Amino acid sequence: MGVLRVVFFGPPGAGKGTQARLLEQKFGACQVSTGEILRKAARERSALGKQAADYLDRGDLVPDQVMVELVAERLQEPDYQAGFILDGFPRTIAQADQLEQMLKDSGLPLESALCIQASNDVLIKRLSGRRTCQKCGHLHHTIFDPPARPGLCNRCGGELYQREDDREEMIAARLGVYESQTAPLKEYYRKRGLLKEIDGVGSVEEVGKRVLRAVT
């Protein structure tokens, strides 16, 4: 296969981040996480970073145009010439349109758009069981990866807590946002012949094999 250039999308809890990291390790393509981009931009206080930080500090969503420009800036860095995996971007049709034009102008067209899917019941079970270490940020799961000592992180011994957005009522709201704003990307990429739908149910290894079949 050639240079890996893919978009990863799907509902919260589908396993996008995990599978994107595995692809990064296997193919040497850089994972482009919107969360990582925003943190880096805010930390470096570039002109775009300051704009993004202003929105984040107010608790507002970063506008499409700012996000597109941040992604474009990141993709210009030398390590991304070896390929990229966009994780969490685009989230809307408007972002996808701008991304398509940006990549066309850069001569870096997408190879595929991978949509990892699972039922809402599975997603709620995965997300509501997550527990995060207050000290080191390591994730545990009450069912799939319980801590050896209840309430304490296996890695550093820090106290585990449930993030607000991992509570069931918040998960339902996040899934609703996905359905209204991001799920339409399936039809968008299907029309362009780029869509690969992947069953996200199963172990990390099982889903990983499906992802590899989709990109090779």
Side-chain angles (χ1 to χ4, degrees):
M1 62 172 292
V3 175
L4 192 69
R5 293 191 293 267
V6 301
V7 161
F8 250 119
F9 69 102
K16 302 180 295 297
T18 298
Q19 295 302 328
R21 284 190 294 275
L22 292 175
L23 278 186
E24 179 181 45
Q25 293 165 12
K26 185 169 184 64
F27 294 103
C30 291
Q31 180 186 7
V32 187
S33 160
T34 50
E36 181 269 333
I37 287 175
L38 287 171
R39 286 190 294 272
K40 181 175 185 290
R43 190 169 59 245
E44 294 180 352
R45 304 301 292 180
S46 63
L48 276 173
K50 289 178 183 177
Q51 284 187 58
D54 287 343
Y55 287 102
L56 294 173
D57 290 344
R58 294 196 301 268
D60 295 334
L61 289 175
V62 178
D64 286 348
Q65 189 56 45
V66 176
M67 277 308 312
V68 169
E69 290 179 22
L70 283 169
V71 171
E73 191 176 77
R74 194 78 171 96
L75 292 179
Q76 294 305 310
E77 297 182 16
D79 52 348
Y80 287 89
Q81 301 309 303
F84 55 80
I85 303 153
L86 289 173
D87 170 20
F89 182 89
R91 290 181 184 273
T92 64
I93 297 294
Q95 288 182 358
D97 278 335
Q98 292 180 75
L99 173 67
E100 183 176 54
Q101 188 59 52
M102 178 187 76
L103 294 177
K104 182 180 179 181
D105 293 343
S106 303
L108 299 170
L110 284 179
E111 288 188 332
S112 55
L114 310 177
C115 180
I116 301 185
Q117 304 178 107
S119 70
N120 282 3
D121 287 346
V122 169
L123 298 171
I124 290 170
K125 186 176 181 180
R126 285 179 181 173
L127 291 170
S128 63
R130 290 201 307 198
R131 297 295 183 271
T132 305
C133 177
Q134 291 194 21
K135 189 174 180 180
C136 73
H138 184 64
L139 287 176
H140 286 278
H141 196 282
T142 56
I143 298 171
F144 306 120
D145 182 25
R149 293 175 294 169
L152 298 177
C153 176
N154 284 350
R155 180 175 290 178
C156 74
E159 186 176 348
L160 300 177
Y161 74 102
Q162 185 180 37
R163 287 175 11 186
E164 282 298 318
D165 59 356
D166 283 340
R167 298 184 186 279
E168 285 203 26
E169 60 274 18
M170 291 297 292
I171 294 168
R174 291 167 65 194
L175 292 173
V177 170
Y178 170 79
E179 285 299 325
S180 64
Q181 295 187 8
T182 307
L185 288 175
K186 285 195 286 187
E187 189 59 28
Y188 179 93
Y189 284 118
R190 182 180 286 115
K191 288 179 178 177
R192 285 156 176 77
L194 297 173
L195 182 67
K196 305 285 181 67
E197 296 184 81
I198 297 161
D199 181 3
V201 178
S203 68
V204 170
E205 293 76 17
E206 289 168 339
V207 177
K209 289 177 181 177
R210 297 172 198 146
V211 171
L212 281 177
R213 285 197 295 270
V215 300
T216 56

